[in-house]
Amino acid sequence: MALNTSADAPLPVGEVSRLIGGWIDRLGAVWVEGQITQLSRRPGAGVVFLTLRDPSNDISVSVTCYRQVFDAVADVVSEGARVVVHAKPEWYAPRGQLSLRATEIKPVGIGELLARLEQLKKSLAAEGLFALDRKRSLPFLPQLIGLVTGRASAAERDVLENARRRWPAVRFEVRNVAVQGVHAVPQVVQAVKELDALPEVDVIVVARGGGSVEDLLPFSDEQLVRAVAAVRTPVVSAIGHEPDSPLLDLVADLRASTPTDAAKKVVPDVGEELDRVQGLRDRALRTVRGLLDREERGLASALARPVMERPQRMVEEREADIDALVARNRRTLGHLLDRADSELSHTRARVVALSPAATLERGYAVLQRGDGAVVRSPEEVSAGDELRARVSDGEFVVRVTE
């Protein structure tokens, strides 16, 4: 319930702590699962103190229990173990601390963990996080590789040494994290996000050596799986040995059986690539030589043909034909010209015979009036009219007398 307080009417610290304790006392007992990070068993003390941490989040809570409660599982429970406790929340008012008073502790067995992982696997698969169409292909030659692994671990050494042995110029951006225990999940998630935010990182490798099922549990954590599924950079999972298969293998773009295998799959071998380049060069050279040889044979075959040995022969064979055609054309043209000349002479003779000038040469004259009109009838002139008489050699004026 909300409290009516103000700057002028505040509540004392003790009252606030008492009220918080009262609210917490109303909570019933709950079953809580977590991982033991600290365990304190003082000799002679009747109470055991534990710190229970969420494996996927940076959250922990103090747990207390009577010695006889812990002694029931002391042989199978230690720091780092996963347990389920039945406890009631308690508030220690003098110090303002929240803790859980456990009345029963149960270790989480391997079988139960595997069953939970299988259920989580089915749930994530149903969401499509493991679908093949989500897988991204790795670049042929990454310029910068992000590596998430344990500090000074064998996995880090295997990846770095094998990658540089295959391609000496390869560069790494390394993030050293906890690879087991309660800090593993948040640190791995943070490292993956940091590397994904770097645009120059072409691929991210998450590597860890082998271990027990409990040691590899962080790499099957739902938070880590979803974080890897959300990044834009291709991710390679190299966790444990060949039989190990955490959920990270399923969501990653590529699974490597070991860290050494990851180095081989991410970076090409410079020797193999040089051999491949040399093989391609030899193949190209053979192809070019084959083309040249074929063209040379074709050219030799063409040059061996008679027409190429004596090219003027073709011209000589056509020379007589051309001479015959020229002579034939000349004869034809001569006949045409002769015929045209004869026709022109006949036409000219007819034109001359019909010409008025020929009539005048025979002694005839043409009379024209002053306006140039030809006189065709005596009625067209009168006495005293002057007319122009045109004869073969010229013209003169005449006068009409009657």
Side-chain angles (χ1 to χ4, degrees):
M1 297 176 60
L3 300 176
N4 294 323
T5 61
S6 65
D8 297 327
L11 287 178
V13 173
E15 180 64 15
V16 173
S17 181
R18 186 187 64 80
L19 291 172
I20 293 175
W23 292 330
I24 292 177
D25 285 340
R26 298 175 190 175
L27 299 176
V30 293
W31 286 99
V32 182
E33 180 182 354
Q35 189 173 19
I36 298 176
T37 58
Q38 292 182 353
L39 175 60
S40 176
R41 299 175 64 189
R42 298 176 182 176
V47 178
V48 178
F49 298 90
L50 306 91
T51 298
L52 203 62
R53 185 184 182 91
D54 189 325
S56 302
N57 299 281
D58 190 14
I59 300 174
S60 60
V61 64
S62 298
V63 179
T64 60
C65 65
Y66 291 113
R67 176 174 289 275
Q68 57 268 29
V69 174
F70 185 81
D71 287 344
V73 294
D75 296 337
V76 293
V77 170
S78 61
E79 287 189 1
R82 286 200 178 193
V83 295
V84 175
V85 300
H86 188 247
K88 186 179 185 306
E90 290 184 347
W91 179 258
Y92 186 59
R95 293 186 180 178
Q97 292 180 345
L98 175 67
S99 63
L100 299 176
R101 172 70 69 170
T103 58
E104 185 178 359
I105 301 176
K106 292 184 176 182
V108 178
I110 298 299
E112 185 176 356
L113 287 175
L114 294 178
R116 292 182 184 179
L117 288 181
E118 187 63 26
Q119 183 178 1
L120 177 60
K121 176 181 177 181
K122 293 180 180 179
S123 175
L124 297 177
E127 294 183 27
L129 267 64
F130 305 152
L132 294 178
D133 55 2
R134 296 186 70 258
K135 308 294 184 183
R136 291 157 295 191
S137 58
L138 271 60
F140 167 71
L141 180 58
Q143 299 301 310
L144 183 63
I145 301 174
L147 177 60
V148 181
T149 186
R151 184 181 302 277
S153 62
E156 179 181 9
R157 184 175 61 255
D158 289 346
V159 174
L160 296 179
E161 290 183 358
N162 284 279
R164 286 167 179 162
R165 188 179 299 118
R166 292 172 63 83
W167 198 276
V170 68
R171 297 185 298 120
F172 281 90
E173 183 73 21
V174 181
R175 293 291 185 274
N176 293 122
V177 298
V179 292
Q180 69 182 59
V182 295
H183 301 287
V185 172
Q187 289 187 13
V188 174
V189 170
Q190 180 63 27
V192 169
K193 290 182 178 179
E194 287 180 3
L195 293 174
D196 183 57
L198 299 176
E200 59 270 22
V201 174
D202 298 320
V203 63
I204 300 173
V205 178
V206 182
R208 185 202 190 281
S212 63
V213 175
E214 294 90 337
D215 293 338
L216 300 182
L217 281 177
F219 299 96
S220 293
D221 187 86
E222 181 178 0
Q223 181 184 356
L224 176 58
V225 171
R226 293 189 181 278
V228 171
V231 299
R232 60 168 184 82
T233 310
V235 176
V236 177
S237 174
I239 306 301
H241 302 303
E242 180 65 35
D244 301 322
S245 182
L247 297 185
L248 180 62
D249 287 351
L250 302 178
V251 73
D253 299 288
L254 180 66
R255 175 187 181 270
S257 57
T258 62
T260 301
D261 183 50
K264 294 179 179 180
K265 290 184 176 179
V266 172
V267 180
D269 185 88
V270 63
E272 294 178 358
E273 296 305 318
L274 289 176
D275 292 342
R276 184 177 292 109
V277 170
Q278 186 60 44
L280 292 174
R281 292 179 62 183
D282 293 342
R283 180 182 175 185
L285 184 59
R286 289 193 301 270
T287 302
V288 172
R289 285 178 176 173
L291 291 174
L292 291 176
D293 292 342
R294 185 179 65 186
E295 295 302 321
E296 287 179 355
R297 289 193 299 270
L299 182 58
S301 176
L303 293 176
R305 298 176 63 183
V307 68
M308 297 300 294
E309 290 181 350
R310 191 165 174 264
Q312 66 273 19
R313 180 178 178 182
M314 182 182 296
V315 177
E316 293 172 352
E317 291 177 351
R318 296 289 184 267
E319 184 178 5
D321 297 337
I322 294 174
D323 291 340
L325 290 174
V326 170
R328 178 181 177 184
N329 289 337
R330 286 177 177 174
R331 289 194 300 273
T332 302
L333 182 60
H335 294 161
L336 292 176
L337 291 176
D338 292 342
R339 184 185 302 171
D341 182 65
S342 175
E343 292 178 355
L344 180 61
S345 298
H346 294 161
T347 302
R348 180 181 178 184
R350 289 194 298 271
V351 169
V352 169
L354 297 176
S355 173
T359 303
L360 294 178
E361 288 179 355
R362 291 196 297 270
Y364 292 92
V366 177
L367 296 179
Q368 294 178 308
R369 291 182 299 182
D371 57 1
V374 177
V375 178
R376 293 181 173 83
S377 173
E379 286 80 7
E380 295 179 1
V381 297
S382 303
D385 290 344
E386 289 186 354
L387 302 176
R388 188 170 63 252
R390 183 177 178 182
V391 295
S392 175
D393 293 334
E395 61 181 25
F396 51 87
V397 178
V398 297
R399 184 183 300 277
V400 180
T401 59
E402 331 178 324

